[in-house]
Amino acid sequence: MSVRRIVTGHDADGRAVVLSDGAPPRVQGFGGGRGTVFHELWATRETPAPIEAGADEPEEGAVSLPPPANGTRIRIVDFPPEDDEAEVSAEEARALFAETGAAEASRHVGAGTRHAFMHRTESIDYGIVLEGEITLILDVGETIVRTGDIVIQRGTNHGWANRSGVPARVCFVLIDGRFAPELADI
């Protein structure tokens, strides 16, 4: 399943043009052959985002789970079907989150959690299921999300489980946020 990214901009006369068309420049898998794959499409470092003529790639280092501070991120994530045989320890889950620059997101992992990859980021995330189905797991309850469904994730502790037996693809738009004081330390 390839991902095509088209970036528009402006030419020297201010006319709208396609500046790049092809695969995203950053694609990274996590968790070995059985893990998720992130297709990094674009990020902004501030809001409102500057709109410039050129198509310079946003400068970023390693793939990062949350959006940049005061910014946004769009990515497509491929979730392989979960392997019932593969158990993941809390330490392994934390290590995988650390690979994405978000070790602190997995602080709720461990005994008593509902899924090995439960996590929480200080962001508003729009998750749009493009293909397949995936289960959204929360502290209380879970729901199956299917092609065309949209999840608005508001800084809640959650995990994603692909129990369908076939790959699932979700587009995520992440917007930097701030926890209200009563939610900051939970």
Side-chain angles (χ1 to χ4, degrees):
M1 295 188 280
S2 64
V3 173
R4 178 181 174 203
R5 182 190 75 159
I6 301 160
V7 179
T8 66
H10 300 86
D11 66 12
D13 295 321
R15 295 176 301 184
V17 295
V18 171
L19 296 172
S20 68
D21 183 345
R26 297 180 341 131
V27 177
Q28 184 171 342
F30 296 95
R34 67 177 210 262
T36 58
V37 176
F38 285 19
H39 304 264
E40 298 295 288
L41 301 173
W42 199 260
T44 64
R45 296 235 167 253
E46 57 187 293
T47 306
I51 300 172
E52 302 161 331
D56 294 338
E57 283 296 319
E59 288 188 30
E60 294 200 280
V63 170
S64 175
L65 181 66
N70 301 312
T72 66
R73 177 178 313 288
I74 183 169
R75 74 167 43 106
I76 291 176
V77 179
D78 291 327
F79 293 90
E82 287 193 4
D83 183 351
D84 292 337
E85 304 290 319
E87 288 293 321
V88 177
S89 71
E91 293 76 26
E92 290 170 313
R94 283 189 190 93
L96 285 170
F97 278 106
E99 282 183 50
T100 68
E104 74 286 349
S106 67
R107 67 182 175 177
H108 297 285
V109 170
T113 60
R114 302 193 67 226
H115 190 269
F117 295 111
M118 294 292 282
H119 64 285
R120 179 179 182 229
T121 57
E122 198 166 5
S123 60
I124 301 292
D125 306 343
Y126 305 136
I128 307 147
V129 180
L130 302 175
E131 297 176 22
E133 70 177 43
I134 193 157
T135 301
L136 169 64
I137 303 168
L138 301 171
D139 291 333
V140 179
E142 59 185 55
T143 188
I144 295 174
V145 189
R146 294 181 174 88
T147 300
D149 293 345
I150 301 169
V151 174
I152 293 115
Q153 187 70 261
R154 301 175 57 235
T156 55
N157 191 41
H158 67 286
W160 299 100
N162 182 351
R163 301 170 180 153
S164 70
V166 297
R169 176 171 275 183
V170 182
C171 177
F172 289 99
V173 177
L174 306 114
I175 303 166
D176 187 36
R178 298 289 172 265
F179 288 126
E182 67 273 13
L183 298 176
D185 295 322
I186 60 170

